[in-house]
Amino acid sequence: MNLLSMLTNDPVVMFSFGGIAIMLGICAFYVYYFIKHIQDDSKKH
């Protein structure tokens, strides 16, 4: 339990998790964006 409290109070860990969350959010947006445009483009032909 000491490890968990150390990780939650460490600002470096918080910035790392925040950066990973932002990166995953950007990746999810681009996956949605490309899939949506691929599907729209295939409906036109």
Side-chain angles (χ1 to χ4, degrees):
M1 210 55 168
N2 192 14
L3 178 67
L4 184 62
S5 65
M6 184 193 72
L7 288 178
T8 55
N9 293 328
D10 191 6
V12 174
V13 176
M14 288 298 134
F15 282 119
S16 297
F17 285 150
I20 290 171
I22 290 170
M23 184 186 67
L24 290 176
I26 292 170
C27 290
F29 168 75
Y30 277 111
V31 167
Y32 165 77
Y33 179 82
F34 282 118
I35 288 176
K36 180 176 178 290
H37 281 274
I38 288 170
Q39 288 175 346
D40 289 347
D41 192 44
S42 64
K43 290 177 184 174
K44 292 179 183 176
H45 293 127

